[in-house]
Amino acid sequence: MPVQVDFDYITIVLHQPRLAENIGATARAAWNMGLHRLIVVNPEDTDWERMSKLATHVASGSWKK
């Protein structure tokens, strides 16, 4: 019997990511898998425009700056 996973209890944490593009790509991957919580701790690059280029429009629109 398949096990149900409650994605509300899963959070992805990026610690000191170097590139804004990595944050955007992670947001996109998380959203595609049904994960909606991403925490970014002490990023080196916070260029929101570059992040948005790799994230989906839905994922980038839900970011809290």
Side-chain angles (χ1 to χ4, degrees):
M1 177 187 277
V3 176
Q4 291 282 3
V5 177
D6 188 356
F7 291 128
D8 290 337
Y9 294 101
I10 298 174
T11 302
I12 296 175
V13 179
L14 295 178
H15 184 256
Q16 296 179 335
R18 293 182 184 165
L19 302 174
E21 291 86 354
N22 288 344
I23 300 169
T26 302
R28 180 184 189 103
W31 193 267
N32 287 339
M33 291 185 286
L35 304 173
H36 301 230
R37 294 176 10 170
L38 171 65
I39 297 174
V40 182
V41 179
N42 197 23
E44 290 183 21
D45 184 359
T46 56
D47 185 338
W48 297 101
E49 185 177 329
R50 288 183 22 229
M51 281 183 228
S52 296
K53 287 181 181 178
L54 288 174
T56 64
H57 70 282
V58 177
S60 63
S62 64
W63 291 341
K64 295 179 183 175
K65 298 178 187 176

